[in-house]
Amino acid sequence: MNLKLTWPRTLIIGLLVGLLTGCGSGGGPFSYVPVSGKVTYDDGSSIPVGGMKVYFHSLDPPSGEAHVPPGIASAGPNGAFENVTSHKYGDGLIKGKYKVTLVCEEAGKLTTKIPKDYERPDTTPLHVEITESGQVLEIKVPKPN
């Protein structure tokens, strides 16, 4: 079999391999650090919900053309979360400042176990700063009336 490769064929094969395998570490221009934590009421008690999503919305400006991706984690019944994901499962967050929003569900429906302001990036009072790898966050919200 004659496998003579010309430069156009080599270029096309190289592009196809690059598209199929991706480039670099897969994280884009950012370095991610693992983050975990716990969400509770301000008195330390657990929020009685079936499931909770914790979202991290970057407050840092874009770096050139690159925007800091948001992060997401699922919290268990006791409010603990780990494996915060921004680009690949469990990669963490980029160091910087974030607004935090929470979405609580019970039997597949949104609940009123947390104040509504905490569900939207434009109204949440929750802010965190990620400064180191392995950072453990303690996020506290008031009990609704």
Side-chain angles (χ1 to χ4, degrees), residues 2-47:
N2 185 1
L3 291 177
K4 184 177 176 186
L5 293 176
T6 62
W7 73 267
R9 284 187 183 154
T10 304
L11 178 63
I12 291 170
I13 290 170
L15 288 172
L16 287 173
V17 169
L19 288 172
L20 293 174
T21 60
C23 319
S25 66
F30 303 110
S31 295
Y32 298 88
V33 296
V35 175
S36 61
K38 189 170 186 177
V39 181
T40 63
Y41 284 129
D42 48 9
D43 65 2
S45 63
S46 295
I47 301 170

Side-chain angles (χ1 to χ4, degrees), residues 25 34 40 43 47 59 72 77 80 103 105 119 124 128-129 132:
S25 66
T40 63
D43 65 2
I47 301 170
L59 291 171
I72 184 173
V103 177
E105 293 182 356
E119 296 176 355
T124 184
V128 297
E129 184 171 4
E132 61 189 51

Side-chain angles (χ1 to χ4, degrees), residues 55-77:
Y55 295 92
F56 298 89
H57 311 273
S58 177
L59 291 171
D60 292 333
S63 173
E65 297 277 324
H67 294 267
V68 176
I72 184 173
S74 294

Side-chain angles (χ1 to χ4, degrees), residues 35-39 49-56 71-86 89-90 100-105 139:
V35 175
S36 61
K38 189 170 186 177
V39 181
V49 293
M52 182 185 316
K53 297 286 188 207
V54 184
Y55 295 92
F56 298 89
I72 184 173
S74 294
N78 66 349
F81 62 88
E82 42 188 40
N83 298 319
V84 175
T85 301
S86 294
Y89 179 75
V100 179
T101 57
L102 307 170
V103 177
C104 298
E105 293 182 356
I139 299 171

